[in-house]
Amino acid sequence: MALEPRRVVARGVGLLVLGVAAYYAIWGGEYTLFDLGRLGEAQRVEAARLAEARAAADSLNALIDRLEDDPATIEAVAREQFGMIREGEVIYRFVDIEGDGQDPAAP
C-alpha cells in the first residue's frame, strides 16, 4: 500500500497551513498571546486602582456627610486643619530650636 503523492502533498500543505496559523496566533498580528497576557495583567492592576479610588471617594463622601450634619466633626476640622480655638482658650506652640540651627524668631 503505497502512499499517493497527492495525499502526501495535501497533508504537507495542511500541516504547513496549520503551522503558519499557530505561528501567527502566538507571535504575529496586533495582539499575540503574550500581548493578551500583558493586557490581562494591566486590566487587573487598573481594576485594583479603581477599587482604591472608589474607596477613597466613599470615604470623602462620608466626610462630606459628617461635615454637613455633625458639629463635632466641623469643630475637629476647624481645630486640626485651621488651628482655630474657642474663646478663652490659649494655644501653645512648641518650636524645635536645635532642629535646623536657625532662630525661629528671626524674620
Side-chain angles (χ1 to χ4, degrees):
M1 209 190 224
L3 294 176
E4 293 181 31
R6 273 190 168 183
R7 283 188 136 183
V8 172
V9 171
R11 283 188 183 190
V13 170
L15 288 175
L16 180 65
V17 169
L18 185 63
V20 169
Y23 172 82
Y24 278 105
I26 296 172
W27 297 104
E30 187 172 349
Y31 295 109
T32 65
L33 289 178
F34 301 112
D35 290 333
L36 291 176
R38 281 190 289 262
L39 287 173
E41 179 61 27
Q43 182 181 13
R44 286 187 288 277
V45 168
E46 292 303 320
R49 288 183 56 209
L50 178 62
E52 290 175 6
R54 284 185 175 154
D58 291 343
S59 175
L60 289 173
N61 285 330
L63 177 62
I64 288 170
D65 291 340
R66 287 193 314 266
L67 285 172
E68 288 176 347
D69 299 332
D70 187 16
T73 302
I74 295 169
E75 181 179 349
V77 169
R79 288 177 175 272
E80 293 170 8
Q81 291 188 1
F82 301 111
M84 300 178 112
I85 58 173
R86 289 183 179 215
E87 190 173 320
E89 292 182 339
V90 177
I91 189 167
Y92 293 95
R93 294 183 188 232
F94 298 95
V95 179
D96 183 18
I97 296 174
E98 297 177 11
D100 56 7
Q102 295 181 356
D103 183 13

